Amino acid sequence: MATRTLRRRLHHGDLDGKKNEIIHGSMSDSLDEPLLGNYNYGGNHSERYDHSSEQDILDDKKKEQLHWTYIFSNLIQQWTQWLENIIAGSGSVLGRFLPFPSVIQNGRPIYLSPLQEERLRILRERLQVPFDSACLDHQNALKQLWRLAYPNRELPPLKSELWKEMGWQGTDPSTDFRGGGYISLENLIFFAKNYPESFQVLLHKQEGKRAEWEYPFAVAGINISFTLIQMLDLQSDTPTSTAGVRFLEILGRDEHAFDNLYCVAFRMMDAQWLAKRASYMEFNEVLKSTRTQIERELALEDITSVKDLPAYTMLNK
């Protein structure tokens, strides 16, 4: 609870209140001198000050006040520097729990925890990996997608007319990854493994009145990955969009936030497709309206995870 309170005060810039509380306590414990100077007593049991002039007494009081004001100011400065060092020091125990500004939005600092920073770093590393048809791991991932999509069918060669049935544009799926990279294949695999019913419904176009010229499933998935990357400013040094900043908050609670959001976006895109009675030539328009709807839902209050999004309920149908 104390860490949460300190984080909240740091986030709102309310450092003065905390400084006063802590430093005042430290000073009062260490002081063993009277704040207004020393007194001498003597003569016929009557109390007399060494300074007979009232003006001298006032001058002494002012000197004492200035003296302690100076000490107090120095302690505040030292406390501020100490606090900054804790926040900046990633090796410090407290530094692991205190937030630090990593993103600036509209001139205001956005505080990311070390956990958020690490997950964002990992996600950005995923974005940099292109699909490599010569890479054995990438070939195996493509085969895994086929097995998840068609568990009762024989695995075709990596170049085959059968891949078109999944929604690839040609006989070689590797030629369709140009914009999405390897992460778009990871997204499809995540969708198939974690939400298999929705995956199969979209793959086989099992809901609604479909157009004669349908969108190709796999290629649509790559386009959704690319759209989310742009919408969330994931390739920028400092995300500035509201959706991007809200996503960073969600990422701190769910390391699979991007993949889960991808599944929601795919389901939402298909719903938009049906609502608009769209055909292949209108796919970009549907994708644009899907992005707008996701941005609206991310901007809603009390959204702390992808599962809080209204559209997430579609994945359970």
Side-chain angles (χ1 to χ4, degrees):
M1 182 65 68
T3 302
R4 186 181 302 169
T5 302
L6 181 56
R7 180 180 293 117
R8 179 179 61 80
R9 290 184 176 181
L10 286 172
H11 180 75
H12 292 288
D14 185 14
L15 290 175
D16 292 339
K18 191 63 179 176
K19 293 174 191 172
N20 291 339
E21 292 170 9
I22 294 178
I23 296 175
H24 183 272
S26 301
M27 289 178 61
S28 62
D29 293 338
S30 62
L31 289 179
D32 53 10
E33 298 181 55
L35 293 179
L36 299 180
N38 297 320
Y39 300 95
N40 286 331
Y41 301 96
N44 299 325
H45 305 288
S46 62
E47 298 177 0
R48 297 182 181 177
Y49 296 111
D50 288 341
H51 303 286
S52 58
S53 170
E54 183 178 351
Q55 183 62 45
D56 291 339
I57 294 175
L58 293 175
D59 290 341
D60 286 344
K61 289 182 178 180
K62 290 180 179 180
K63 290 179 181 179
E64 291 291 347
Q65 290 172 351
L66 290 174
H67 171 70
W68 290 110
T69 299
Y70 174 76
I71 293 177
F72 189 76
S73 298
N74 281 343
L75 287 175
I76 290 178
Q77 184 176 5
Q78 292 174 13
W79 163 258
T80 302
Q81 184 62 47
W82 176 77
L83 186 60
E84 290 176 354
N85 290 338
I86 288 179
I87 295 175
S90 59
S92 168
V93 174
L94 289 177
R96 296 189 184 98
F97 297 96
L98 294 177
F100 49 91
S102 304
V103 177
I104 305 296
Q105 183 189 30
N106 298 327
R108 298 174 58 189
I110 305 299
Y111 292 88
L112 300 185
S113 68
L115 179 61
Q116 287 172 302
E117 286 280 356
E118 177 63 12
R119 288 178 175 175
L120 180 59
R121 181 191 65 79
I122 293 173
L123 180 55
R124 282 175 169 167
E125 285 184 354
R126 292 174 63 192
L127 301 182
Q128 302 304 315
V129 181
F131 182 85
D132 184 358
S133 59
C135 176
L136 184 60
D137 288 341
H138 292 196
Q139 293 177 7
N140 289 335
L142 197 56
K143 293 176 183 179
Q144 182 185 14
L145 177 63
W146 178 274
R147 294 190 182 98
L148 290 168
Y150 308 108
N152 299 319
R153 295 179 61 179
E154 182 179 354
L155 177 68
L158 291 178
K159 293 183 180 180
S160 169
E161 289 287 337
L162 294 176
W163 287 101
K164 292 182 180 180
E165 296 182 24
M166 191 187 291
W168 302 99
Q169 295 185 101
T171 59
D172 183 3
S174 65
T175 60
D176 289 330
F177 285 102
R178 291 181 296 272
Y182 183 61
I183 193 173
S184 59
L185 177 56
E186 292 179 317
N187 292 154
L188 283 166
I189 292 173
F190 182 91
F191 192 9
K193 291 175 65 176
N194 291 273
Y195 306 98
E197 293 184 9
S198 287
F199 180 89
Q200 291 294 330
V201 166
L202 269 59
L203 171 64
H204 297 289
K205 307 294 196 303
Q206 294 174 346
E207 288 184 348
K209 184 177 180 181
R210 316 302 305 198
E212 293 183 6
W213 195 6
E214 277 288 315
Y215 66 84
F217 174 81
V219 175
I222 292 177
N223 277 272
I224 291 171
S225 297
F226 182 73
T227 297
L228 290 179
I229 292 170
Q230 288 185 317
M231 182 189 76
L232 301 175
D233 290 334
L234 292 179
Q235 291 180 317
S236 302
D237 293 334
T238 56
T240 57
S241 67
T242 300
V245 173
R246 176 57 65 89
F247 173 76
L248 295 182
E249 297 173 0
I250 295 174
L251 188 62
R253 299 177 177 88
D254 177 12
E255 62 180 322
H256 301 296
F258 183 79
D259 302 272
N260 280 315
L261 185 61
Y262 169 87
C263 299
V264 173
F266 210 144
R267 203 68 163 92
M268 185 185 294
M269 185 278 296
D270 189 73
Q272 294 271 354
W273 177 272
L274 292 174
K276 293 179 179 294
R277 299 181 180 179
S279 62
Y280 185 85
M281 298 303 294
E282 298 169 292
F283 179 77
N284 286 337
E285 180 183 341
V286 171
L287 199 59
K288 182 178 179 180
S289 62
T290 301
R291 169 174 174 164
T292 300
Q293 183 61 30
I294 294 175
E295 289 173 332
R296 289 173 180 170
E297 294 199 6
L298 284 173
L300 295 174
E301 295 182 1
D302 300 326
I303 298 297
T304 60
S305 71
V306 174
K307 294 181 180 181
D308 292 332
L309 298 175
Y312 181 80
T313 58
M314 292 191 295
L315 288 174
N316 299 321
K317 291 183 178 180

